[in-house]
Amino acid sequence: MAKKATKSKPKPTKKGSPFKLSKQNKIILGSLLMLFSIALFFSFISFYFNWQDDQSLLTEFKDRNEEAKNLLNKFGASISHFFMYKGFGVATLILPFLVCITGIYLFLGLPLKALFKKWIWGLLFIIWISIALGFFALNSPLLGGLIGYEMNDFLQDYAGKIGVLLLLVFGLIFILVRLFKITPEDISEFFKSKKEAISSEFKASKERKAAIDDEVLTTSLEDETPVTVDTYTHKAEIPHLEKEKDQNELEISNPSEEETLAMEVEQVIEEPEEIDILASKLVDDFGEFDPTLELGNYKFPTIELLDQHGVTGGITINQEELEENKNRIVDTLKNYKIGIAQIKATIGPTVTLYEIVPDAGVRISKIKNLEDDIALSLAALGIRIIAPIPGKGTIGIEVPNKNATVVSMRSVIASSKFQKAEMELPIAFGKTISNETFVVDLAKMPHLLMAGATGQGKSVGLNAVLTSLLYKKHPAEVKFILVDPKKVELTLYNKIERHFLAKLPDSEEAIITDNTKVIHTLNSLCIEMDNRYELLKLAMVRNLKEYNTKFKARKLNPNDGHKFLPYIILVIDEFADLIMTAGKEVETPVARLAQLARAIGIHLIIATQRPSVNVITGIIKANFPARLAFRVTSKIDSRTILDTQGADQLIGRGDMLFTQGNDVTRIQCAFVDTPEVAKITEFIGSQRAYPEAYELPEYVGEDSGTSVDYDIADRDKMFREAAEVIVIAQQGSASLIQRKLKLGYNRAGRIIDQLEAAGIVGPFEGSKARQVLVSDMVALQHLLDNETN
């Protein structure tokens, strides 16, 4: 019996011991949980800035050399993806706080019973917020996470949208009443106190306004000239006194608060050197002008609209193919008694670059002449030898891969190089031989010439350019003029007409397919260019970026004709067809734009099938330093477009060479398919847009000029003022009358016709300003007096 008693006594202590924590263990576990909660918090916060970069790497985290952008590297990216993307979205940020509170309770040795309630309410909050975000932010599933999105979708299938909304309201009431102890009496008391505070403040402000009005009334009696304020710019302007008004008549008015502000502004404007001080004051009061405000709710296209073509894990390396090609290159050169000191390979999506260092004394031209022999030994299409590689002491041999990798537009757009590009007009073309995303700034090119034989990727290249800009620029910042003689390549962009396209005022369709409309559009663009240069001159700036910066800082007055100027990008899909049908009528305005338009934000992208010298003339080539060549049929075509050969040795299907005046870079163009473009334009087109497409200045052809003698009685009321403006400025243009007299373009055009009939300005001269035939105001007065007599 004694033995049995001794065996049964220690049993309870053995069972209870695993569930008890000593004080030291509680401190250790508590500190671990607190530190872990900090790690979770920074991981989750970092996820929202870097999830696009890290998501593509999740499958590659087993590779030790791969690095994530998350602050906690691979661990942070993985755990954030699990909890936030696949879990509850933004609501998951509550989780680190719950873990931290648990750690604090353990660390300080507090009773753990109270934790249970905190975790229940915390989890309830997470679920409610996740479902609410899934309901209200249906187009942004990342906010509510996968669980919030799916739960909301599930509930809507059974209860509908109204049912889910009522459930969410009930959940909110439950939380407010049970957790925060809020009652209807508390809410009514809150609104009652606010109402009393507002009424007392209203009475006080009324008394202050009465005192100000008395003071302003006294001041206004001393000043005869009323001052008006443009509420848009908050800048003062003194109107001209009418001639019929008695100069001695005293007008007593009770100015509003805006007029009182204008009196103060008037005093500042009298000193030109203090304009900057005024502008900074306006910015402090009203903030900088925001051109995107009209479409403030505009959403940029999401990465999900693009497909992931080809393999997602990057380039697959075929070690056997590399070794085989290397040996064949070495053997071929050895046959011609050319020794190699060193050889290395750089693998790209479609081409592998073999860099060789020949033995001392070997002439480079000897290797260059063996291009066809190396191609024969490798049995490959499109061998290209770069001898030497610029900036390196090596010779490059580019060999096409047997299994090419498709470069998707999605991978290029999602790359950090494009996402973080601080450029005015960033364009992601594709990937280089070293598998790096190739991004350039169109604003610095400043124009782009594209060429390539039929079916080699020109249209895909144009779509890549337009897609890049649609993913980075707001509709207020950039406008496209699309010229499509083939009538089928760019029609998808009709859906974004009122967002991103520009056209002539009387044009029905924004995509230009008719050659006559092309000529009118190009000349209209020249008028736009001249108008913009006039605005830059008045603003005393050198380029569009400086001008818009100055306008945003409220240093330019819209009453003087100033406005925010978007970039305008002219895209011509088949330039050779236009030259064949219109010739000089197209070439002349294109040459003018190419020479002068870069500073005022007008950029040209011209594509053609055959880059012959009669299509791409010397003037055009001189002003298009950026050239893009897909595969062409001959060395002559390659030299015409690139000034060097090599484009004839490309392998096609988006393989291209790019030069900006210095080195030639080989790139695999990013592939964006027609359905992808359709989805992007549909996404943008379904959003709120501007009332009309961006209107270019009206262009009147030479055959539309007037020689009709207008009757004096039919002249515009502003005819005399317009004549004075034209004679003083000695510049006969409708845009000048628009700016100075604040008239519409059509009315200004009619006045110009009347001035021509009166002999004050000369006939129409294309995009140039008309000649002013009256030398000064005395001669104008004499001319007008003779007409009335």
Side-chain angles (χ1 to χ4, degrees):
M1 293 294 290
K3 284 181 181 179
K4 286 181 182 178
T6 53
K7 282 182 182 179
S8 59
K9 279 182 181 177
K11 282 183 181 178
T13 55
K14 282 183 180 179
K15 282 184 179 178
S17 58
F19 300 98
K20 283 189 176 181
L21 287 173
S22 64
K23 187 176 182 181
Q24 291 85 352
N25 289 338
K26 283 183 179 180
I27 293 170
I28 293 168
L29 183 58
S31 60
L32 176 63
L33 288 175
M34 285 190 285
L35 294 172
F36 181 63
S37 69
I38 294 169
L40 284 177
F41 179 77
F42 283 110
S43 298
F44 294 164
I45 293 295
S46 177
F47 176 77
Y48 270 95
F49 297 97
N50 303 303
W51 71 274
Q52 288 179 321
D53 294 328
D54 293 344
Q55 196 172 35
S56 60
L57 299 174
L58 285 172
T59 56
E60 301 175 14
F61 279 168
K62 293 178 183 177
D63 186 355
R64 190 173 176 180
N65 295 323
E66 288 293 340
E67 279 196 17
K69 299 285 185 182
N70 196 286
L71 290 174
L72 272 79
N73 209 327
K74 298 172 186 176
F75 168 77
S78 300
I79 202 165
S80 301
H81 181 78
F82 178 77
F83 278 109
M84 303 201 81
Y85 188 85
K86 291 187 175 181
F88 298 95
V90 175
T92 313
L93 288 171
I94 296 172
L95 186 63
F97 291 101
L98 293 174
V99 175
C100 185
I101 290 168
T102 306
I104 292 170
Y105 268 67
L106 286 169
F107 190 83
L108 299 176
L110 300 173
L112 301 179
K113 287 183 180 179
L115 269 179
F116 181 74
K117 186 179 179 182
K118 286 182 171 54
W119 271 92
I120 290 294
W121 281 111
L123 293 173
L124 189 62
F125 258 116
I126 289 173
I127 293 168
W128 187 87
I129 293 170
S130 179
I131 297 174
L133 288 173
F135 181 81
F136 291 108
L138 192 61
N139 294 328
S140 301
L142 191 64
L143 291 175
L146 191 62
I147 291 176
Y149 182 84
E150 291 294 343
M151 285 180 74
N152 176 68
D153 194 44
F154 174 78
L155 289 171
Q156 283 193 27
D157 287 342
Y158 286 94
K161 285 191 175 182
I162 296 175
V164 175
L165 182 63
L166 294 174
L167 282 172
L168 288 171
V169 172
F170 174 74
L172 182 63
I173 293 169
F174 180 81
I175 291 168
L176 292 175
V177 173
R178 291 302 302 269
L179 182 62
F180 298 106
K181 312 296 182 189
I182 294 174
T183 61
E185 291 81 6
D186 296 332
I187 296 170
S188 62
E189 189 66 33
F190 172 78
F191 281 111
K192 190 176 178 182
S193 62
K194 283 291 178 187
K195 186 179 177 182
E196 290 173 359
I198 291 167
S199 60
S200 61
E201 179 65 29
F202 181 73
K203 285 178 184 177
S205 66
K206 215 174 180 186
E207 291 170 4
R208 284 199 300 271
K209 187 176 184 300
I212 292 169
D213 285 348
D214 292 339
E215 186 180 344
V216 170
L217 179 61
T218 309
T219 309
S220 66
L221 290 170
E222 299 172 3
D223 191 0
E224 291 180 13
T225 307
V227 180
T228 60
V229 175
D230 177 8
T231 56
Y232 174 70
T233 57
H234 313 286
K235 293 192 178 182
E237 173 182 290
I238 303 175
H240 296 291
L241 291 174
E242 297 179 6
K243 292 180 183 179
E244 295 82 1
K245 187 174 180 178
D246 186 1
Q247 296 291 331
N248 297 320
E249 183 184 346
L250 181 64
E251 183 177 321
I252 301 174
S253 63
N254 188 10
S256 64
E257 289 181 14
E258 286 181 347
E259 289 172 335
T260 311
L261 170 66
M263 291 177 185
E264 298 173 6
V265 174
E266 171 78 14
Q267 295 169 0
V268 179
I269 289 178
E270 287 175 1
E271 299 295 331
E273 65 272 9
E274 295 192 13
I275 289 176
D276 287 342
I277 299 171
L278 170 63
S280 62
K281 183 183 176 186
L282 290 171
V283 170
D284 290 340
D285 292 342
F286 306 103
E288 285 198 346
F289 172 72
D290 183 7
T292 65
L293 208 57
E294 191 174 348
L295 296 183
N297 295 325
Y298 174 79
K299 293 180 181 177
F300 286 87
T302 60
I303 199 73
E304 285 75 21
L305 296 171
L306 295 169
D307 297 332
Q308 185 69 64
H309 299 282
V311 293
T312 57
I315 296 171
T316 53
I317 299 171
N318 189 332
Q319 201 64 41
E320 289 182 10
E321 184 184 341
L322 283 176
E323 197 66 30
E324 189 179 339
N325 286 343
K326 186 193 81 170
N327 293 335
R328 285 182 178 178
I329 290 170
V330 173
D331 292 342
T332 304
L333 294 176
K334 200 176 285 182
N335 291 339
Y336 292 91
K337 298 180 181 178
I338 298 172
I340 296 175
Q342 185 182 340
I343 183 167
K344 71 170 186 175
T346 305
I347 305 160
T350 54
V351 173
T352 298
L353 173 66
Y354 294 88
E355 290 183 60
I356 62 171
V357 179
D359 288 339
V362 176
R363 295 177 66 183
I364 291 174
S365 59
K366 193 175 181 183
I367 298 175
K368 183 71 176 169
N369 293 334
L370 295 175
E371 200 166 60
D372 294 335
D373 298 281
I374 296 171
L376 179 65
S377 69
L378 294 172
L381 173 70
I383 296 294
R384 180 169 167 264
I385 294 181
I386 312 162
I389 296 175
K392 294 184 179 181
T394 58
I395 294 169
I397 302 174
E398 292 176 348
V399 182
N401 299 335
K402 287 180 180 177
N403 297 314
T405 304
V406 177
V407 175
S408 67
M409 196 71 205
R410 177 170 179 154
S411 64
V412 173
I413 294 290
S415 67
S416 59
K417 191 169 185 180
F418 179 75
Q419 292 293 332
K420 297 176 183 177
E422 294 182 1
M423 299 176 180
E424 291 297 306
L425 297 170
I427 295 173
F429 278 123
K431 293 194 175 181
T432 62
I433 282 182
S434 56
N435 205 36
E436 293 178 5
T437 303
F438 189 80
V439 184
V440 288
D441 190 357
L442 178 62
K444 292 182 179 178
M445 287 187 189
H447 311 296
L448 176 64
L449 193 59
M450 297 174 68
T454 305
Q456 302 304 316
K458 280 195 316 304
S459 297
V460 175
L462 283 176
N463 283 330
V465 170
L466 294 172
T467 302
S468 300
L469 294 170
L470 292 177
Y471 266 89
K472 286 291 275 189
K473 306 306 288 185
H474 189 276
E477 298 173 315
V478 65
K479 302 293 177 185
F480 300 110
I481 300 173
L482 303 180
V483 178
D484 183 14
K486 288 191 268 188
K487 303 182 182 181
V488 293
E489 294 293 347
L490 302 174
T491 50
L492 287 170
Y493 296 96
N494 266 324
K495 296 174 187 174
I496 58 170
E497 176 181 333
R498 292 189 295 129
H499 290 88
F500 280 102
L501 301 191
K503 65 176 184 178
L504 292 171
D506 60 341
S507 181
E508 292 181 7
E509 293 186 0
I511 311 293
I512 305 160
T513 55
D514 181 49
N515 285 347
T516 307
K517 283 280 178 67
V518 174
I519 296 165
H520 285 191
T521 302
L522 290 173
N523 283 289
S524 171
L525 207 51
C526 289
I527 297 170
E528 174 76 11
M529 177 180 72
D530 294 335
N531 292 346
R532 287 189 172 202
Y533 267 118
E534 184 68 25
L535 291 174
L536 260 64
K537 184 180 81 173
L538 293 173
M540 293 183 289
V541 293
R542 296 180 61 190
N543 56 53
L544 184 82
K545 189 177 179 181
E546 291 177 12
Y547 177 87
N548 282 338
T549 302
K550 204 167 183 179
F551 186 82
K552 286 179 182 178
R554 300 186 183 275
K555 295 180 182 179
L556 303 174
N557 191 345
N559 285 338
D560 298 331
H562 293 295
K563 58 184 178 180
F564 180 83
L565 299 176
Y567 285 95
I568 297 178
I569 300 169
L570 170 65
V571 178
I572 301 177
D573 187 29
E574 189 43 73
F575 188 61
D577 182 67
L578 294 179
I579 292 294
M580 287 167 62
T581 53
K584 289 288 181 186
E585 288 181 287
V586 167
E587 186 185 338
T588 302
V590 166
R592 275 203 76 211
L593 290 167
Q595 287 173 326
L596 300 172
R598 63 174 299 176
I600 42 84
I602 298 176
H603 302 281
L604 279 60
I605 299 173
I606 291 176
T608 183
Q609 283 186 5
R610 189 171 184 276
S612 54
V613 289
N614 62 324
V615 175
I616 302 172
T617 61
I619 294 175
I620 290 176
K621 277 186 70 174
N623 291 287
F624 281 79
R627 322 262 180 81
L628 195 65
F630 293 90
R631 188 167 185 263
V632 293
T633 53
S634 68
K635 286 183 171 61
I636 297 170
D637 288 349
S638 178
R639 288 189 180 278
T640 306
I641 182 72
L642 293 175
D643 295 326
T644 183
Q645 65 184 43
D648 55 309
Q649 296 163 316
L650 298 173
I651 59 174
R653 298 190 52 149
D655 190 17
M656 64 187 189
L657 296 175
F658 176 81
T659 179
Q660 210 164 338
N662 302 318
D663 303 337
V664 178
T665 308
R666 192 165 185 174
I667 307 163
Q668 178 60 40
C669 183
F671 179 66
V672 52
D673 206 359
T674 306
E676 295 174 77
V677 177
K679 283 191 282 184
I680 294 167
T681 54
E682 186 69 39
F683 179 85
I684 295 170
S686 63
Q687 299 184 55
R688 180 174 168 267
Y690 296 107
E692 296 291 337
Y694 185 84
E695 283 198 354
L696 297 170
E698 190 174 359
Y699 170 76
V700 182
E702 291 183 17
D703 55 343
S704 302
T706 180
S707 58
V708 179
D709 189 8
Y710 281 85
D711 193 301
I712 294 175
D714 294 336
R715 283 179 180 169
D716 195 282
K717 292 179 182 179
M718 303 291 285
F719 176 83
R720 192 180 190 93
E721 288 88 339
E724 290 173 0
V725 167
I726 292 292
V727 171
I728 291 169
Q730 286 294 300
Q731 180 185 343
S733 69
S735 58
L736 179 65
I737 296 174
Q738 274 185 280
R739 290 196 303 274
K740 295 296 183 185
L741 301 181
K742 303 178 184 66
L743 302 177
Y745 189 87
N746 292 333
R747 188 178 177 187
R750 285 195 298 273
I751 293 174
I752 281 287
D753 291 341
Q754 293 168 10
L755 291 170
E756 181 188 345
I760 296 170
V761 298
F764 180 79
E765 296 181 29
S767 60
K768 295 181 183 177
R770 295 173 185 246
Q771 184 182 357
V772 181
L773 304 176
V774 179
S775 58
D776 52 34
M777 292 297 291
V778 176
L780 175 65
Q781 188 67 39
H782 182 68
L783 176 67
L784 296 177
D785 288 345
N786 286 342
E787 282 186 341
T788 55
N789 291 334

